[in-house]
Amino acid sequence: AVKVIEGDSGARDPRLQSQRTEAFLSLARFSDAQYQSIDKYMNSSEFENKQALLEKAKEEVDLMRERKVTSNRYTIKVQRELELDETALSNLRTDRKRFLCKAVENYIQCLEQGEEHDTWVFRLASLWLENADIRGINDMMKRGVKQIPSYKFLPLMYQLAARMGTKMAAGVYEDTGFHDVLNDLICKASLEHPHHTLFIIFALVNANKDESFCRTRPSKSAPPQTSQFDLERSDVAREIIAVVREKRGGMIRGIERMCDAYITLAYMDASRHKNEKKAIPIPADQPIMQLKDLDEVVIPTMEIKVDPSGSYENLVTVRSFLPHYHLAGGVNLPKIIDCVGSDGKSRRQLVKGQDDLRQDAVMQQVFSMCSMLLQRNTDTRKRKLNIRRYKVVPFSQRSGVLEWCSGTVPIGEFLVDPNKGAHKRFRPQDWTSLACRKKMMDAQRQGFDKKLEAYSEVCKKFRPVFRYFCMERFLDPAVWMEKRLAYTRSVATSSIVGYIVGLGDRHIQNILIDEQTAELVHIDLGVAFEQGKILPTPETVPFRLSRDIVDGMGITGVEGVFRRCCEKTMEVMRSSQEALLTIVEVLLYDPLFDWTMNPLKAFYLQHDEQQELNATLNSTIGEDLDNHRKSSDSQSFNKVAERVLLRLQEKLKGVEEGTVLSVGGQVNLLIQQAMDPTNLSRLFHGWQAWV
């Protein structure tokens, strides 16, 4: 097909161009499928047994040679069989490599032009990273990196940068050219799209800045040792910054100063203001107060549209920071600040220290991918189905900044705030949420039947009121109808996507609602890939569909709009399973992304008031954890990651509880699980299932 198109004089005809990329893609998909099936076979137990028999036969033949028994019929037979088996094996290996190369070569050609197939860059990256030890693949990628526009790799920047400089992290022992290609790619992207790339590179340069700020507690022995990989990675990141500095010195200096200022602010001790609600002045000696008119540095929490041509103009840059901050609640007291842009508008930001933001950043990557898939499908596009995202920028391993979601309120605040909550205003005769919580906490230690009993009683004494959110705010009936519809659609989309990525910890402070559009925003995405199922009190529901959430949808509840939008979203997710699996696979094996559950995380998520464990225990858990992470080998981690991918694949094929379901059947089952009182009664009381 390609030859015919290229031979034809109309090679410049755009319709033929798209036929040409189509042809490359179908060849790539075919070769990829062949490669995968051979690879699957070569990892099977059947193949292992064959290998064992082959080894046995080899030993036998060697033994016969030693004994000089070479002419009898049996020996000749065994030798011939061995030769056949060895040829078959080498053919298999050749085929595997041939299909792999064919796939990579054609994905590259398909990505060189047009944008309709850009999602396949994830599969190309996946094949490349899996086979980084094969010289031939790296040689092809060297050409690919030159020819594929660098903006197509931007969605993968975190994952590619994480593999810089570490011979080991890439699983490469001898030099096969992988690092040269990777560095070329990252340099090219950093020069052409600095606003999308440099913050990621600087986070690696500053990866270990946290240690200089952490006041080492006496209980903590020396801070965790920085591994060889981290140091190598930081060195390579520095080299890339040096290359960019030659072309854009001002920008690099500005970003350096800004990153330092943010990290210093993140670690500034504000514990003495812990209970203050009003604005607190930022001390004048904080470097962030000296930042003025950084003309070449964009505001990190603003979304910047990727410009394929790389000519970024009229960007909003950093003018200054307002001289005061507020404290947001939470263990590590994150700070809320305002950044004033060159357009004169100020933008709220949340600065966090002692907190790994990479998890949130990576989940936002998945969300933006899902939004893109929903945008591409006619049914979901015309229903305006998408997922509200916010920008997350890590500055070091344990600090960073998040975009503050202005104009939103946590649903918990709207519903059960002790002073102005809707439950208190509209149903003053009901129990308070606190009383409900007390009731459920008392049942925490008892059997499942008692929990269900307690839950049912709580439900009788505490009735949903979320319908009043839209009623109070949108007084015009047409507007009210439109907002309620937007709310329902947004619950549907975020529920299904949340279920697919196994998002947990959906308590009422982690879901915000926009007061203008009535859409939901999910924040604090630290528990994903079904890690909530292994918490001390396991999560039993696929997403939050408690009574108040359903109440907000109006009189028909989950029937009608909600169910249909869930089905449409699920349809898109299931039909894009290739893309989703590839993305998640690349993310899970990202060496810097720690998504697995551990005792310390579990403790922060679910500690009872009765067992407020003292600080000593806290620090010992921390120490055990560092040791645990050093000792737990990559083998067991890979098993966990494989399990996550298998479960994701099942979800996208409609496999639930061992049976294959249609889209409608799968959505129905999930809605039932999410609303089942038995499941809701077993949740941790902090989740507040009765709201």
Side-chain angles (χ1 to χ4, degrees), residues 299 316-317 319 322 339-347:
I299 296 181
V316 179
T317 55
R319 180 181 292 175
L322 296 184
C339 176
V340 182
S342 51
D343 58 355
K345 293 196 188 112
S346 74
R347 292 167 180 78

Side-chain angles (χ1 to χ4, degrees), residues 293-306:
D293 301 317
L294 302 176
D295 298 333
E296 297 185 55
V297 184
V298 294
I299 296 181
T301 49
M302 280 182 69
E303 201 46 72
I304 293 167
K305 245 184 99 53
V306 173

Side-chain angles (χ1 to χ4, degrees), residues 650-676:
E650 279 183 349
K651 287 177 179 178
L652 295 171
K653 288 198 170 103
V655 179
E656 300 292 342
E657 298 167 359
T659 29
V660 182
L661 302 173
S662 65
V663 170
Q666 188 178 18
V667 165
N668 186 44
L669 179 75
L670 294 174
I671 292 177
Q672 281 177 356
Q673 286 175 348
M675 295 175 73
D676 179 0

Side-chain angles (χ1 to χ4, degrees), residues 44-262:
S44 67
S45 51
E46 187 188 344
F47 182 75
E48 258 175 50
N49 298 343
K50 239 185 176 160
Q51 291 292 87
L53 289 170
L54 191 74
E55 287 305 315
K56 258 213 175 78
K58 260 191 191 152
E59 285 168 21
E60 203 173 331
V61 170
D62 288 346
L63 202 67
M64 289 171 186
R65 284 214 179 101
E66 264 174 50
R67 302 279 162 86
K68 306 253 188 323
V69 190
T70 42
S71 53
N72 73 2
R73 278 193 4 225
Y74 177 70
T75 318
I76 292 169
K77 177 175 165 289
V78 172
Q79 257 174 319
R80 286 222 176 116
E81 275 176 356
L82 180 63
E83 278 163 22
L84 283 173
D85 282 350
E86 280 183 320
T87 323
L89 178 64
S90 91
N91 286 347
L92 199 60
R93 288 200 175 119
T94 322
D95 275 353
R96 177 177 175 272
K97 190 164 174 189
R98 208 174 72 222
F99 282 123
L100 171 64
C101 293
K102 214 27 151 192
V104 169
E105 181 189 352
N106 285 286
Y107 278 131
I108 290 174
Q109 301 215 275
C110 160
L111 285 163
E112 281 172 13
Q113 284 140 341
E115 31 252 19
E116 63 267 43
H117 303 305
D118 285 359
T119 33
W120 292 108
V121 74
F122 282 96
R123 184 63 193 145
L124 174 63
S126 186
L127 285 171
W128 177 33
L129 297 173
E130 242 169 71
N131 297 287
D133 51 347
I134 300 177
R135 165 69 73 180
I137 297 294
N138 291 317
D139 292 345
M140 268 193 256
M141 282 305 295
K142 198 179 177 72
R143 219 200 72 228
V145 165
K146 284 198 179 69
Q147 280 159 321
I148 298 172
S150 63
Y151 77 90
K152 298 193 179 189
F153 289 101
L154 291 179
L156 276 161
M157 223 52 220
Y158 276 112
Q159 287 67 37
L160 293 170
R163 287 177 172 77
M164 287 193 312
T166 55
K167 301 260 186 297
M168 296 279 291
V172 181
Y173 298 102
E174 74 270 31
D175 187 24
T176 53
F178 173 74
H179 287 99
D180 303 337
V181 182
L182 183 59
N183 289 0
D184 288 351
L185 169 57
I186 291 177
C187 269
K188 186 175 161 193
S190 302
L191 287 165
E192 291 171 7
H193 305 281
H195 311 296
H196 295 82
T197 316
L198 290 178
F199 287 122
I200 297 174
I201 308 301
F202 266 112
L204 299 176
V205 172
N206 295 328
N208 308 305
K209 269 244 162 79
D210 305 305
E211 288 169 18
S212 52
F213 287 101
C214 286
R215 300 167 298 291
T216 38
R217 306 191 197 92
S219 67
K220 276 274 205 191
S221 45
Q225 283 306 298
T226 311
S227 73
Q228 193 51 42
F229 303 153
D230 291 342
L231 294 173
E232 274 183 47
R233 203 183 289 118
S234 298
D235 290 344
V236 179
R238 273 191 201 90
E239 286 164 26
I240 287 177
I241 296 297
V243 173
V244 183
R245 199 187 293 268
E246 287 173 17
K247 299 264 193 309
R248 302 178 180 251
M251 180 189 286
I252 294 289
R253 272 196 305 282
I255 294 182
E256 264 174 337
R257 285 181 56 204
M258 186 165 80
C259 290
D260 282 348
Y262 269 115

